[in-house]
Amino acid sequence: MQRSVQPTSEAIRAGNRARIVDILRRSGSATRAELVTGTGLSRATVSSLIGELAGRGLVSELAQPAADSPGRPPTRLALNRAAGLAIAVDVGVRHVAVAVGDLSRSVLAERWVPVPYGHPAESGMHLVMRSIETALAEAEADRDQLVGAAISIAAPIAPDSGRSLAPGVLPGWNGPELAEQIGRRWGIATIVENDANLGALGESVAAAPHGRDLLYVKVASRVGLGIAFGSRIHRGNDGYAGELGHVTADPEGPACWCGRRGCLELYAGAEGMLERLAGRGIPIGNIKDLILRAEAGDADVLAVIEDGTRLLARSLGALALVLNPSVIALGGELAGLGPLLLDPVRAELAAVPFGAPITVRASVLGPRASLMGALALVLHESGRFAAQACAPPTPNSGRLAAVPAVASRSLQPSSPR
Ligand SMILES: [Zn+2]
């Protein structure tokens, strides 16, 4: 099917540009005809957008293969790896992580720095800025190659302002200050996003095409949920989608910081589990020790864990009926419980009466899910960054449209997993 879309505004044009970038990113390379078919745009519009992207050095013509076949094959276009780099930042409870990746989804540099629990935001921000500088140097990246940056924070985030909507597990970190610093320092669009949302996007992209409609459950100190349907984050009306941790598990239960009683995360999150155990005279210091005690078969610990995972499984069963996902990926530190967490969820989901079986598995990216999701956000939702990326003239403009064959080969992404 082919239809003509006349770009009537910069917004439409940015969206169409992003569709072309998306096809090239997914398929590695494409001819102009394939882009016309893939986008449904007219040939003239595709040519105009390609010209614009090539002018900015974002797209290159691949070198022609050796002439051992008759006729000249149509020119293939690919993303210029060097022209589009993204910065990802993950601010965790006990770590700060930074990655630099390219448009073909390759990670060029990645740094993880452990930080003490409750680390103050101010020193943490310095650490993030230093880590980005080091990672960019490792990746041999130039400032004018950067497309944008995304920051993962463990709190619900307002999609428009990037501001934290509720106290997260990271006191003092509310998002915009760090985004402003990064934006100012490197002159790029910087977006703050909830960690579970990014985990969902990261898992969905990593599992493509099988993880198209994916729920990512982050079971750590608290319980978060990310929804990535069609490999797009679902944020809800004002950024609160995925507050699974505050579904009521027991209306008569203990008070939650959100103002209600008996929220799911008080049972299924590690903080709640540790508190319940402490209340029974069993003090355990941290999640690692909790998992070790469970593995050692401590009956009291196992009882609290079984209670929490049963309630989590029941909530996910209800959610699956509402949302019909293809995959539920369980991540976060409590994913270290392995079958103790996965088995009850699998049993509950196997009992969902409708539709194809839902795959329930541990996160394939593990602790890197939110960081990789942050890279994916810049590279996958490039439309959000494209307006800024294409608006001002930069030293990048006028870059050569053709790149050497060796560089061209490095443009090929691995086939979708
Ligand atoms: Zn609550």
Side-chain angles (χ1 to χ4, degrees):
M1 186 189 70
Q2 229 172 280
R3 68 194 160 83
S4 228
V5 177
Q6 282 303 110
T8 53
S9 71
E10 178 48 37
I12 292 174
R13 206 168 163 82
N16 289 342
R17 225 163 25 218
R19 289 161 73 189
I20 288 176
V21 168
D22 209 37
I23 289 173
L24 293 174
R25 192 190 53 70
R26 285 168 196 271
S27 55
S29 70
T31 63
R32 285 178 171 78
E34 285 165 353
L35 289 172
V36 167
T37 308
T39 58
L41 299 169
S42 72
R43 196 171 180 86
T45 303
V46 166
S47 283
S48 159
L49 292 168
I50 288 291
E52 190 182 317
L53 291 165
R56 284 193 46 78
L58 290 167
V59 165
S60 306
E61 290 185 352
L62 291 185
Q64 296 289 339
D68 54 356
S69 53
R72 185 181 160 82
T75 304
R76 298 196 73 80
L77 300 153
L79 294 172
N80 184 356
R81 170 192 174 279
L85 299 181
I87 296 172
V89 178
D90 176 24
V91 181
V93 178
R94 292 186 185 81
H95 70 261
V96 160
V98 165
V100 175
D102 67 21
L103 288 172
S104 61
R105 292 209 309 250
S106 305
V107 176
L108 306 177
E110 187 172 338
R111 294 185 66 77
W112 287 71
V113 185
V115 291
Y117 183 82
H119 57 110
E122 199 180 324
S123 60
M125 277 194 257
H126 288 137
L127 184 59
V128 169
M129 300 299 273
R130 278 205 310 276
S131 297
I132 293 175
E133 275 168 16
T134 312
L136 287 173
E138 257 173 50
E140 297 179 355
D142 290 335
R143 180 188 170 125
D144 65 358
Q145 296 173 324
L146 295 171
V147 176
I151 304 167
S152 165
I153 300 265
I157 301 292
D160 47 355
S161 68
R163 190 162 286 280
S164 164
L165 291 165
V169 290
L170 297 163
W173 290 89
N174 63 9
E177 288 84 358
L178 180 59
E180 276 161 27
Q181 279 198 34
I182 292 173
R184 238 190 348 259
R185 169 76 176 77
W186 285 282
I188 48 175
T190 304
I191 286 175
V192 186
E193 183 56 80
N194 168 264
D195 61 339
N197 285 353
L198 289 174
L201 181 62
E203 286 288 321
S204 176
V205 169
H210 304 293
R212 231 185 110 70
D213 297 322
L214 178 142
L215 302 178
Y216 172 76
V217 190
K218 186 171 179 182
V219 203
S221 296
R222 297 181 183 177
V223 175
L225 172 79
I227 305 165
F229 270 39
S231 295
R232 299 265 177 230
I233 294 173
H234 175 77
R235 299 177 176 85
N237 178 45
D238 51 4
Y240 284 104
E243 285 302 322
L244 178 69
H246 300 281
V247 165
T248 303
D250 176 7
E252 310 298 324
C256 177
W257 63 266
C258 76
R260 301 210 304 176
R261 306 194 76 85
C263 292
L264 175 64
E265 73 178 23
L266 300 179
Y267 303 89
E271 214 173 88
M273 287 180 181
L274 294 176
E275 258 172 48
R276 296 182 80 199
L277 285 163
R280 295 173 192 184
I282 307 165
I284 297 176
N286 55 50
I287 299 180
K288 223 177 239 173
D289 290 344
L290 180 79
I291 294 172
L292 286 175
R293 292 276 285 265
E295 283 170 352
D298 184 314
D300 294 307
V301 171
L302 284 173
V304 165
I305 289 172
E306 276 165 26
D307 207 21
T309 51
R310 179 179 50 83
L311 292 166
L312 176 68
R314 204 163 69 190
S315 297
L316 289 175
L319 205 58
L321 278 170
V322 176
L323 293 174
N324 188 212
S326 59
V327 177
I328 295 182
L330 295 162
E333 282 169 285
L334 278 188
L337 288 170
L340 288 175
L341 176 66
L342 283 168
D343 287 353
V345 179
R346 281 187 177 138
E348 184 75 32
L349 272 293
V352 169
F354 310 112
I358 297 162
T359 303
V360 177
R361 57 161 172 77
S363 148
V364 293
L365 294 170
R368 299 169 76 228
S370 297
L371 187 67
M372 293 302 102
L375 268 189
L377 186 76
V378 182
L379 303 173
H380 203 80
E381 296 190 9
S382 46
R384 292 178 75 190
F385 298 85
Q388 172 165 340
C390 286
T394 73
N396 227 15
S397 303
R399 187 169 284 197
L400 284 178
V403 291
V406 173
S408 301
R409 274 198 296 275
S410 71
L411 293 173
Q412 304 292 340
S414 52
S415 56
R417 283 155 290 159

